[in-house]
Amino acid sequence: MLQTIRENSQGIIAKVIVGLIIVTFALFGVESLIGLANSEKAPAEVNGKEISNIELQRETELQRRQILSQMGEDADPAAIDEVGLRRSVLDNLINREILLQSAEGQGLYVSDQIIDQLLVADPGFQGADGRFDRNQFEATLRSVGLTPLMYRDQLRKALLMAQERNAYSLSAFATPVQAERLAKLAAQTRDVDWVRFSLEDELAQVEVGQDQLQARYDENPQRFMTTEQVVLSYIELNQADFVNPDAVSESDVRSAYEQELARFQAAEERQAAHILFEFGEGSEADIQALAESVRERIQAGELSFADAAAEYSADVGSAGNGGELGFNGRGIFAGPFEDTLFAMQAGELSEPVRTEFGYHLIQLTEVRETAAPTFEERLPVLKAELAAAEAEAGYVEALDRLADLSFSAADLQVPAEELELEIKQTAPFAQTGGDTALTSNPKVLRAAFSNDLLNEQLNSAPIELSREHAVVIRVHEKIPARQQSLDEVKSILVAELKQEQAVEGLKERAEALVENLSAGEALTDLDSSLVWSSAEAVTRDAGSMPLELNRAAFELARPEENKSILEAVELNGGDYAVLRVRAVHDPEQVDEQLTQQLQKSLDMRQAETAFRARVQDLNAAAEVERN
């Protein structure tokens, strides 16, 4: 065969083909041939620049991870709408590319030095000593699927886009007159009255006739179609049912205890006190000199350590207690502090030790080592641990057995008998879920309404509700959708019609009262059972009246020539009220601090409005092609 290939490769055609391949490699590289087999259009182009598939996939995966982390321990990846997620991520990438091109087109620039400073200062990339840790930096990025170069590029792009946004936020402004006017409006007060009509009282007076019920039912009978429902039979495995501490032998417990003793290492703990000379207004040299001076006075007997802590220590948590920190092991204190503490002898007073907080004087008072726990102390704990470990093994074995039995059985009877499990039933529920944790579980819902269970009458595979709980389900009864009769939905229609008629009746009463009061009639003459509730000099969002009335009171026009302004207002819960604004009081002076706060708020709003308009213009002008 090899000889045949060699002979055929000597021909003119073969040499021409090889020559063309060589030329292609030389001019375009090997990617030119690989690309022919793997050519795939970019998901989108923005002004001629492609958004790559790799970028889209990476951002989609990041978004998916965030969604799953928000779902918690029982997150189900199948619950994520992949199509919608991909579309949303692509839209975000397009918008980001438009903003990035705008920033680059204006010559904005971010230096490598600025990026380096931001990385070094990021607490997420710092080690226990508070300094930049390269290993932690790379590990953090790997956890989200990024390389250092990729992250630097993302950071650079984010800073570029932020520069353009900041240009708007730092240049937009509102005038002091606007802020002062807004402050006056905020401090304005109003004198108001209101009278309230109760929906509950109105409902008690409304009656619904049979003709009304029939007419409402006939309007749209389809709304009273039930949804398809199922009743499930199920058996469940719980790991907790396999836990049996009494079955654990003492020899097993003693063996586990001996293993613990072999691994046990006495942990040294040290009792210490300290005085913190905190970095503050003075220079670091002055603070260090003060610490050395206090140390000399303590050693000379002029001052006790406890008195020095009370007078000089900036650690408010320990200063009043002689600087006492109690017994502590390693891993509690900052590096230099801990290194010094565990190098000292009992009774020794340290030289000033510098940490990020300031200088410390440390006094070591006692050293002790933790003793190994006795067998009697560890017996109940080890017994529970061994029982839990055996239960897990038994649960896993039973789960495998359950999977085999439920797959081959025609119903749940065989697996239930083999594993000594009880067959249980649910109440009917629809595809939207039931009232219990089982019937509202997304995994159970998908299985229950799948073709295999709903139409083929099969058992489900074991559904793991958690790491320690699984069920096998089967459709016991399928309840098809049907049209409900008028008698079945009568209570719903009665409540619905009464609500509508009561609300409409209240509205008519309130509007009629507004009309009559506006014509100059008195409330007592119109209805002696109604009484005004009054509030003087009400502020915005005052708690002395319903929120809806307060809001409406400040939306109404200013009364003119001592003529009140009236309006009917619907309240939360369906009640109605008639509101009367009698007077408006403007403040003579406004709070300067409030004016300044409003000035900043107006500046931010102006900036946001201007930048939003800029983004809309960029999006309108951009040539975006989605593939």
Side-chain angles (χ1 to χ4, degrees), residues 127 275 315 332 359 411 422 463 514:
I275 303 171
D315 182 1
I332 303 298
Y359 281 92
D411 52 30
E422 178 187 358
I463 302 170
V514 168

Side-chain angles (χ1 to χ4, degrees), residues 128-129 131 274-279 284 287 333-340 351-362:
D129 59 355
R131 297 182 178 180
H274 84 131
I275 303 171
L276 170 61
F277 300 86
E278 191 175 29
F279 292 138
E284 182 174 336
I287 296 170
F333 303 112
F337 189 106
E338 183 174 287
D339 294 342
T340 302
E351 297 280 348
V353 179
R354 187 188 188 283
T355 68
E356 59 183 305
F357 307 105
Y359 281 92
H360 305 255
L361 292 180
I362 307 171

